[in-house]
């Protein structure tokens, strides 16, 4: 189970863009061995909060703690140094490189003046085994991989720096059912390895499948934190939309809500 001290604690996080308040007094905790889903409608502040954790944006107010120590995260490099890894929707992978080269891009291992390709391939195989990945070979060019396999590579790359916290921004968007299932296995493996995972997603089926807690943002503010195993679909949707649970009975819901697609 999670320790009492969160791996990540955010308190009173506020961010403004000119007159627009993107986040107002937001709190978020993530523990080791925990997947926290961050959900909300478009513009709710999910990606802005993720960029705070990742060092892309700085908060205007509030503070961030890593393992109980207050920190600043001015850059993505600083975030990596604190043990925070992020996979954004664009994946930032190179089509012309193989799996190993993508995993170590910008962090290549050296043996004297040369790249230590043998050592990097060994580590790449181990990382993919840790995730139960089905990628056929660490020498496979990225251009030969499916969308799901590319997402696997992006998630595997987070493990190269031995992180404590992983942020995943819509990791199953536009994937097939089979590819989505494989990525969800990877997320569960990250939790099993002892990491804290922030999962940003509009897909409530995926959220309910792998998350331990669901944190709802609405108009840049906290609007509920729920036990993923116990909360109903209607309760989460009510928190996202601002409706009451009574207004969102199962009979009144469409098969797939556009908000959660």
């Amino acid at each position: 189970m999670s320790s009492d001290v969160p791996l990540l604690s955010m308190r009173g996080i506020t961010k403004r863009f000119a007159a627009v308040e993107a986040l107002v007094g937001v709190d978020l905790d993530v523990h080791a061995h925990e997947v926290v889903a961050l959900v909300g409608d478009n513009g709710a502040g999910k990606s802005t909060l993720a960029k705070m954790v990742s060092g892309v944006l700085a908060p205007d107010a509030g503070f961030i703690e890593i393992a109980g120590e207050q920190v600043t995260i001015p850059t993505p490099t600083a975030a990596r140094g604190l043990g925070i890894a992020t996979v954004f929707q664009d994946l930032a992978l190179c089509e012309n490189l193989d799996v190993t080269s993508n995993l170590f891009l910008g962090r290549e291992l050296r043996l004297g003046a040369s790249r230590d390709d043998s050592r990097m391939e060994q580590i790449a195989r181990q990382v993919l085994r840790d995730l139960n990945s089905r990628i056929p070979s660490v020498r496979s060019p990225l251009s030969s991989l499916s969308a799901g396999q590319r997402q696997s590579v992006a998630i595997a790359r987070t493990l190269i720096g031995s992180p404590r916290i992983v942020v995943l921004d819509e990791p199953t968007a536009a994937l097939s059912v089979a590819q989505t299932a494989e990525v969800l296995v990877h997320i569960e493996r990250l939790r099993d390895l002892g990491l804290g995972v922030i999962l940003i997603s509009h897909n409530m089926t995926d959220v309910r499948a792998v998350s331990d807690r669901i944190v709802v943002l609405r108009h840049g503010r906290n609007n509920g934190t729920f036990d993923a195993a116990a909360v109903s679909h209607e309760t989460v949707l009510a928190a996202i939309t601002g409706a009451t649970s009574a207004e969102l009975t199962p009979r009144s819901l469409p098969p797939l809500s556009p908000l959660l697609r």
Side-chain angles (χ1 to χ4, degrees):
M1 290 296 294
S2 304
S3 64
D4 290 336
V5 178
L7 283 179
L8 171 70
S9 183
M10 307 179 80
R11 289 290 179 272
I13 299 297
T14 297
K15 183 65 179 180
R16 299 178 181 87
F17 298 100
V20 177
E21 291 185 320
L23 294 171
V24 182
V26 170
D27 296 339
L28 177 70
D29 287 336
V30 182
H31 292 80
H33 293 282
E34 183 180 43
V35 177
V36 176
L38 193 61
V39 304
D41 200 359
N42 292 332
K46 306 182 300 295
S47 293
T48 300
L49 192 63
K51 289 176 180 177
M52 302 269 186
V53 179
S54 307
V56 177
L57 295 173
D60 295 326
F63 64 89
I64 301 172
E65 293 182 344
I66 301 292
E69 295 186 8
Q70 190 167 330
V71 300
T72 57
I73 313 177
T75 65
T77 299
R80 288 193 295 271
L82 291 167
I84 301 167
T86 304
V87 180
F88 289 112
Q89 289 187 57
D90 63 6
L91 301 185
L93 300 173
C94 294
E95 292 277 333
N96 61 321
L97 299 179
D98 65 15
V99 171
T100 299
S101 295
N102 270 285
L103 293 185
F104 284 91
L105 190 62
R107 292 182 284 183
E108 292 84 357
L109 301 181
R110 296 283 173 180
L111 186 60
S114 303
R115 290 193 350 160
D116 192 348
D117 290 324
S118 177
R119 177 63 177 155
M120 287 192 293
E121 287 186 6
Q122 179 184 1
I123 294 173
R125 291 189 189 95
Q126 182 60 56
V127 166
L128 293 175
R129 280 196 297 269
D130 287 343
L131 286 178
N132 293 334
S133 174
R134 298 177 181 176
I135 291 174
S137 170
V138 296
R139 295 183 180 180
S140 298
L142 197 77
S143 58
S144 71
L145 301 183
S146 69
Q149 289 171 326
R150 294 178 192 203
Q151 186 66 250
S152 297
V153 173
I155 293 174
R157 187 173 57 186
T158 67
L159 294 178
I160 296 299
S162 300
R164 294 182 284 181
I165 300 159
V166 174
V167 182
L168 302 174
D169 190 3
E170 299 284 359
T172 61
L175 297 185
S176 69
V177 173
Q179 292 167 352
T180 293
E182 184 170 358
V183 169
L184 295 181
V185 169
H186 298 339
I187 295 171
E188 291 176 329
R189 287 295 297 147
L190 292 176
R191 175 175 55 201
D192 294 343
L193 291 168
L195 281 64
V197 180
I198 299 173
L199 170 63
I200 298 173
S201 180
H202 281 84
N203 190 311
M204 284 303 298
T205 300
D206 296 349
V207 165
R208 298 283 296 271
V210 297
S211 64
D212 299 291
R213 286 188 296 119
I214 301 172
V215 175
V216 177
L217 295 183
R218 176 169 164 79
H219 300 320
R221 293 169 168 82
N222 289 107
N223 203 40
T225 298
F226 306 99
D227 180 344
V231 70
S232 69
H233 174 94
E234 295 75 33
T235 298
V236 176
L237 187 57
I240 291 171
T241 63
T244 65
S245 296
E247 293 171 325
L248 295 168
T249 62
R251 183 174 297 177
S252 70
L253 291 174
L256 282 174
S257 170
L259 285 171
L260 304 176
R261 193 169 287 157

